[in-house]
Amino acid sequence: MSDHRILLSEREIPKTWYNVVPDLPAPMKPYLHPGTLQPAQPSDMAAIFPMNLIEQEMSAAASIAIPEAVLDILRLWRPTPLVRAVRFERALGTPAKIFYKNESVSPAGSHKPNTAVAQAYYNKEAGINRLTTETGAGQWGSALALACNLFGMECMVYMVRCSFDQKPHRRTMMQAWGAKCVASPSELTNSGRKMLSEDPDSPGSLGIAISEAVEEAAGRKDTNYSLGSVLNHVLLHQTVIGQEALAQLKIAGAYPDVVIGCCGGGSNFAGLAFPFVPEKAAGKKVRLMAVEPTACPTMTKGVYAYDFGDKSGMTPLIKMDTLGHDFIPPGIHAGGLRYHGMSPLVSLLHRAGVVEAASYPQLKCFEAALKFAGAEGLIVAPETSHAIACVVDEAMKAKEETKDKTILFNLSGHGHFDMGAYEKYFEGGLEDYHYPEEKVREALAHLPRAS
Amino acid sequence: MSDHRILLSEREIPKTWYNVVPDLPAPMKPYLHPGTLQPAQPSDMAAIFPMNLIEQEMSAAASIAIPEAVLDILRLWRPTPLVRAVRFERALGTPAKIFYKNESVSPAGSHKPNTAVAQAYYNKEAGINRLTTETGAGQWGSALALACNLFGMECMVYMVRCSFDQKPHRRTMMQAWGAKCVASPSELTNSGRKMLSEDPDSPGSLGIAISEAVEEAAGRKDTNYSLGSVLNHVLLHQTVIGQEALAQLKIAGAYPDVVIGCCGGGSNFAGLAFPFVPEKAAGKKVRLMAVEPTACPTMTKGVYAYDFGDKSGMTPLIKMDTLGHDFIPPGIHAGGLRYHGMSPLVSLLHRAGVVEAASYPQLKCFEAALKFAGAEGLIVAPETSHAIACVVDEAMKAKEETKDKTILFNLSGHGHFDMGAYEKYFEGGLEDYHYPEEKVREALAHLPRAS
């Protein structure tokens, strides 16, 4: 039997990113200019993104070379381990084999630095020395702070208010890497001030924080904007995860029946799952499961339509699974999964039946995470706990059916900055939140007319 | 050139612990019974330790086999990476090569689980199902909580009050692994109640917390006590670190001129450095540097004498470097380094000139830690920052002298639960604390008569 932890040497970090676009079952719908409703041109995005990233965003190349300067930083923690969770299997009493890709080993504690480093690099190449961004749970903001610091750039982070209050230590972490972090909505932007005038106690949302960060970047020549999920180039940068996993599974002599990732904007799920899309197209029987919270059921309750990526309607219109850009999800602790939309690539694959979606309530997720911590030691982020809840269900199904099954999931981040959420769970202070149907209808009534 | 991260496979975890006792330059002084002042017998310790661990504590064997059940858990995160800190070298502009052993990758975030797992195992073997312990910064308490959980045992942690208040999330982490954690001094023990009656606002100390944990263990048949540092068997279990490092340095084609570890009770330092003791004795020119805070300068300002391991005088008398068991250090953020004594093995080697000691004030340590975070990404624990401050000095010396030099240090833990300390540092709210001479004299006036 092979090792439980399958490690690759740094020379085995993938040298290219895998682009799913040429392998899509249908062509991607173009982004639309929010004013003209015509397909957005590269120049439409040039106010906030560098041209090299815009080219990646629109690329149909099968793969894109990873620059040496990016690889040089990725090797601080990559390749990440692929681990066979033998103790978790035993605890569940399942015949299933469970593997996880441990992305929590990065300095920022999640998969997010995979794209943060690439985005900082391309902006620096384009002569930009300052980036703005939003963050929900703080994983993305930390990752961009880390990446900017490594390239000697400035970083400004708008953090969703409810997460900012839940996790003050994330802010300090960003500060340790030289970044500035403020609660959103803030008084620093028009978007923020408008929200605060409507609701001074707004818990914030990713949509609002994006509006603030985009507004600041659009208004300053020295500053660009950086997004931690959703967009094509972000998902592209995450495909190192799945490529490594494929190489590691080969060493383990295993192949997954199901690949599972939690899904907020789609980047950790896609990073692991997209490299399996051509395998599936070539006849491999592998299921790709995207897991979201019942409190923000973008794929399972939303519609597939053109919508804004942000609250204020400053972004291009994106054809995606959405709950409507007016939707503000309840303040659940999986802050990274509180987004009204979904990556257009994941949405397309979902609607084409290549990707399955499931939603889980948070109590079941915490329960699964604690079972995992008791068996494997690792305490995961609330986002990741959604993937684990689904793993448990798949493993128990295998048990009932006394079937061999191999499960692969993405351990997207650790929970070291989420102990407040666990504390609330222990105190019985957490409730499940199922998104009510009438709120879906209400939010969807405000979709832009292009939808 | 070899990889920057030198990884070993799980089959390369050392199969034995290295025992430094036969390699000591002088015989170790026996522990003394606190009542009779005669050498303590194994039976004297049987109220709180299982006989198998007492045998290890007193063993003069050159090495001791690691049980398969312990290896089976260690391989959840071991072997840990040895990393060449190329970016840190560049940031310092030093010709020195800097390597670090990354012990922060364990589920509890430090080197502590190396011995926690072994101690839980041996207690379980002896039919014990419940352990008590103390914790300073929380690293040790978390580690024992994790280990007990993996063996299905109960765990009770007395956490030094000032750390308990600084880091409530450590308590939640222990709870996630099924342990109970209370602030010390507590109302649960005679020792705790006595302290509280003298000083209701006591910030606590490791000495007090040890008294509480020992008292509870001594009074309950089903319960033993477990210590996270200081004792021989604890340091023994940590020697997997240095053994792995030696194998990894060989792969890197390097050998250290100096080995550096922070030193509170001595276990992470000894874990890395002890396997170099026979190398040094055989003629290798390697310096072993133990780094402590100026706020608790046990080796650099204390005396080498018999003293109690705890505040209340319940432990055997130990010949060690000590500031006196009455000493309560100021509430610096490196809670794991706030111990009045020092491992008797480290103390003996220090007094014999095999180990060098240095002390650093906390501001310089935070500064060094932030420089390291900016270069290598990782944010370390305040304890570990003491090692890094010393690394910086050694690297800068090499620069001044334009000398080749290889530095190895132990990255004993991450700082994810210490962001409050970093926040205070950023706010300018931290001060250096140099232990005043008159307080040394005062504390040393209360040494027990055997000293």
Side-chain angles (χ1 to χ4, degrees):
Chain A
M1 176 167 174
S2 66
D3 285 2
H4 293 132
R5 288 197 305 154
I6 318 245
L7 307 173
L8 301 175
S9 79
E10 66 189 40
R11 273 158 288 190
E12 295 168 280
I13 299 177
K15 299 294 175 294
T16 59
W17 290 302
Y18 162 72
N19 191 1
V20 79
V21 168
D23 293 328
L24 292 175
M28 219 188 121
K29 299 280 182 188
Y31 298 144
L32 301 183
H33 187 284
T36 65
L37 300 188
Q38 295 302 305
Q41 299 306 309
S43 57
D44 293 337
M45 303 188 214
I48 58 169
F49 293 120
M51 203 47 77
N52 47 21
L53 281 180
I54 295 171
E55 279 163 18
Q56 277 188 5
E57 183 64 24
M58 301 193 158
S59 170
S63 69
I64 292 173
I66 307 178
E68 185 49 44
V70 172
L71 288 171
D72 192 46
I73 291 181
L74 292 185
R75 67 171 65 101
L76 286 173
W77 69 91
R78 299 208 76 84
T80 62
L82 179 81
V83 187
R84 170 91 185 270
V86 180
R87 289 174 177 273
F88 192 42
E89 293 167 13
R90 265 184 237 147
L92 296 173
T94 177
K97 289 191 185 74
I98 301 174
F99 290 89
Y100 64 89
K101 185 72 171 152
N102 188 356
E103 290 295 310
S104 77
V105 299
S106 81
S110 78
H111 65 293
K112 294 287 188 188
N114 296 329
T115 183
V117 169
Q119 292 190 51
Y121 166 80
Y122 283 113
N123 274 285
K124 177 105 178 179
E125 280 292 295
I128 292 291
N129 259 305
R130 189 165 177 281
L131 292 176
T132 64
T133 197
E134 77 294 331
T135 197
Q139 286 184 341
W140 168 244
S142 306
L144 195 67
L146 166 72
C148 284
N149 201 27
L150 289 167
F151 283 108
M153 300 166 71
E154 283 179 47
C155 183
M156 170 74 186
V157 181
Y158 292 89
M159 187 167 182
V160 175
R161 163 65 71 185
C162 72
S163 292
F164 187 90
D165 293 341
Q166 282 164 2
K167 303 182 220 181
H169 293 335
R170 274 281 177 196
R171 185 194 58 214
T172 310
M173 187 182 217
M174 296 179 220
Q175 201 177 348
W177 287 317
K180 192 173 171 190
C181 172
V182 297
S184 166
S186 79
E187 293 285 354
L188 300 176
T189 65
N190 291 328
S191 310
R193 284 186 292 267
K194 181 160 177 290
M195 269 312 297
L196 288 174
S197 71
E198 289 166 17
D199 178 6
D201 299 322
S202 168
S205 73
L206 279 169
I208 298 168
I210 292 173
S211 291
E212 292 206 272
V214 167
E215 183 186 321
E216 184 187 330
R220 283 182 64 158
K221 269 235 164 93
D222 66 339
T223 300
N224 269 345
Y225 166 71
S226 181
L227 189 67
S229 193
V230 180
L231 297 179
N232 299 5
H233 69 275
V234 181
L235 275 56
L236 177 83
H237 300 154
Q238 293 294 354
T239 59
V240 289
I241 304 172
Q243 292 182 73
E244 285 177 10
L246 274 163
Q248 289 164 312
L249 285 164
K250 205 167 169 187
I251 293 169
Y255 197 87
D257 296 292
V258 55
V259 175
I260 299 172
C262 64
C263 221
S267 81
N268 95 77
F269 167 73
L272 181 64
F274 278 9
F276 289 89
V277 168
E279 305 253 320
K280 194 175 163 85
K284 290 271 192 188
K285 285 200 192 327
V286 53
R287 293 166 56 210
L288 308 177
M289 289 281 299
V291 186
E292 60 187 10
T294 53
C296 189
T298 315
M299 290 175 287
T300 51
K301 294 274 176 91
V303 296
Y304 186 51
Y306 268 108
D307 196 4
F308 294 112
D310 71 326
K311 164 81 182 156
S312 301
M314 290 193 295
T315 70
L317 290 166
I318 304 168
K319 180 88 171 189
M320 61 180 175
D321 285 345
T322 181
L323 292 162
H325 62 281
D326 272 345
F327 172 65
I328 296 185
I332 57 166
H333 280 274
L337 306 183
R338 292 175 73 248
Y339 183 57
H340 70 273
M342 178 52 60
S343 143
L345 289 171
V346 172
S347 300
L348 188 154
L349 288 164
H350 171 228
R351 296 295 161 166
V354 178
V355 164
E356 296 170 52
S359 68
Y360 281 80
Q362 66 180 353
L363 292 182
K364 192 169 174 180
C365 296
F366 277 102
E367 193 190 313
L370 286 168
K371 198 173 292 217
F372 184 77
E376 297 288 318
L378 299 175
I379 299 175
V380 302
E383 291 80 6
T384 308
S385 75
H386 288 71
I388 296 179
C390 183
V391 168
V392 171
D393 277 358
E394 291 290 331
M396 298 322 276
K397 250 186 271 171
K399 187 177 181 177
E400 279 160 31
E401 299 167 1
T402 59
K403 251 196 198 165
D404 277 350
K405 187 190 256 183
T406 298
I407 301 169
L408 168 66
F409 78 96
N410 202 356
L411 198 158
S412 56
H414 63 59
H416 300 168
F417 291 84
D418 302 282
M419 298 317 298
Y422 281 92
E423 193 180 350
K424 276 242 175 73
Y425 174 78
F426 289 132
E427 288 166 353
L430 291 188
E431 282 177 18
D432 282 342
Y433 191 98
H434 293 269
Y435 193 81
E437 300 290 342
E438 69 275 14
K439 280 198 75 176
V440 178
R441 279 195 301 276
E442 187 187 312
L444 291 178
H446 298 115
L447 285 180
R449 65 200 156 98
S451 67
Chain B
M1 179 168 169
S2 67
D3 286 1
H4 294 131
R5 288 196 304 153
I6 318 251
L7 307 172
L8 301 175
S9 79
E10 67 189 36
R11 273 158 287 188
E12 295 168 278
I13 299 177
K15 299 294 173 296
T16 58
W17 290 302
Y18 162 72
N19 190 1
V20 79
V21 169
D23 292 328
L24 292 175
M28 220 188 120
K29 298 279 181 188
Y31 298 144
L32 301 183
H33 188 284
T36 65
L37 301 188
Q38 294 304 304
Q41 299 306 309
S43 57
D44 293 338
M45 304 187 213
I48 58 169
F49 293 120
M51 203 46 77
N52 47 20
L53 281 180
I54 296 171
E55 279 162 20
Q56 278 189 3
E57 183 63 26
M58 301 193 158
S59 170
S63 69
I64 292 173
I66 307 178
E68 185 49 44
V70 173
L71 288 171
D72 192 45
I73 292 182
L74 292 185
R75 67 171 65 100
L76 286 173
W77 70 91
R78 299 209 76 86
T80 62
L82 179 81
V83 187
R84 169 90 186 269
V86 179
R87 290 173 176 274
F88 192 42
E89 293 167 14
R90 266 185 236 147
L92 296 172
T94 177
K97 290 194 187 72
I98 302 174
F99 290 89
Y100 64 88
K101 186 72 172 154
N102 189 357
E103 290 294 309
S104 77
V105 299
S106 80
S110 77
H111 65 294
K112 294 286 187 187
N114 296 329
T115 182
V117 169
Q119 292 190 49
Y121 166 80
Y122 284 112
N123 274 287
K124 178 106 178 177
E125 281 291 295
I128 291 291
N129 259 306
R130 189 165 176 282
L131 292 176
T132 65
T133 196
E134 77 295 331
T135 196
Q139 287 184 341
W140 168 243
S142 305
L144 194 67
L146 166 72
C148 285
N149 201 26
L150 290 167
F151 283 108
M153 299 165 72
E154 284 180 47
C155 183
M156 171 74 185
V157 181
Y158 292 89
M159 186 168 183
V160 175
R161 163 64 72 184
C162 72
S163 291
F164 188 89
D165 293 341
Q166 283 163 2
K167 302 184 221 180
H169 293 335
R170 273 282 178 195
R171 183 194 59 213
T172 309
M173 187 182 217
M174 295 179 221
Q175 202 177 348
W177 287 317
K180 191 173 172 191
C181 172
V182 296
S184 167
S186 79
E187 292 286 355
L188 301 175
T189 65
N190 291 329
S191 310
R193 285 185 293 267
K194 180 159 179 288
M195 269 312 296
L196 287 174
S197 72
E198 290 165 16
D199 176 8
D201 299 322
S202 167
S205 72
L206 279 169
I208 299 168
I210 292 173
S211 290
E212 292 206 271
V214 167
E215 182 186 322
E216 186 187 329
R220 283 182 64 158
K221 268 234 165 96
D222 65 339
T223 300
N224 269 346
Y225 166 71
S226 182
L227 188 67
S229 192
V230 181
L231 297 179
N232 299 4
H233 68 275
V234 182
L235 276 55
L236 177 84
H237 300 154
Q238 293 292 356
T239 59
V240 290
I241 304 172
Q243 291 182 73
E244 286 178 8
L246 274 162
Q248 288 163 312
L249 286 165
K250 206 168 168 185
I251 293 170
Y255 197 86
D257 296 292
V258 54
V259 175
I260 299 172
C262 65
C263 222
S267 81
N268 96 77
F269 167 74
L272 181 64
F274 278 7
F276 288 89
V277 168
E279 304 253 321
K280 195 176 163 84
K284 290 271 192 189
K285 286 202 189 327
V286 52
R287 294 166 55 211
L288 309 177
M289 289 280 299
V291 185
E292 60 187 9
T294 53
C296 190
T298 316
M299 290 174 288
T300 51
K301 294 273 177 95
V303 296
Y304 186 50
Y306 268 108
D307 196 4
F308 294 112
D310 70 327
K311 165 79 182 154
S312 302
M314 290 193 295
T315 70
L317 290 166
I318 304 169
K319 180 88 173 189
M320 60 180 175
D321 285 345
T322 181
L323 292 162
H325 63 280
D326 272 346
F327 173 64
I328 296 185
I332 56 166
H333 280 274
L337 306 183
R338 292 175 73 247
Y339 184 56
H340 70 273
M342 178 52 61
S343 142
L345 287 172
V346 172
S347 301
L348 188 155
L349 288 164
H350 170 228
R351 295 295 161 167
V354 178
V355 163
E356 297 170 51
S359 69
Y360 280 80
Q362 67 179 352
L363 292 182
K364 193 169 173 181
C365 296
F366 276 103
E367 193 190 314
L370 286 168
K371 198 172 291 218
F372 184 77
E376 297 288 318
L378 299 174
I379 299 175
V380 303
E383 290 80 5
T384 308
S385 74
H386 288 72
I388 296 180
C390 182
V391 168
V392 171
D393 277 358
E394 290 290 330
M396 297 323 276
K397 249 186 271 169
K399 187 178 180 176
E400 280 161 31
E401 299 166 2
T402 59
K403 250 197 197 164
D404 277 350
K405 187 190 257 183
T406 299
I407 301 169
L408 168 66
F409 79 94
N410 202 357
L411 198 158
S412 56
H414 63 60
H416 300 169
F417 291 85
D418 301 282
M419 298 318 297
Y422 281 92
E423 194 180 351
K424 278 242 175 74
Y425 174 78
F426 290 133
E427 289 167 353
L430 291 188
E431 283 176 18
D432 282 341
Y433 191 98
H434 293 269
Y435 192 82
E437 300 290 342
E438 69 274 15
K439 281 199 76 177
V440 179
R441 280 194 300 274
E442 188 186 312
L444 293 178
H446 299 114
L447 286 179
R449 65 200 155 97
S451 67

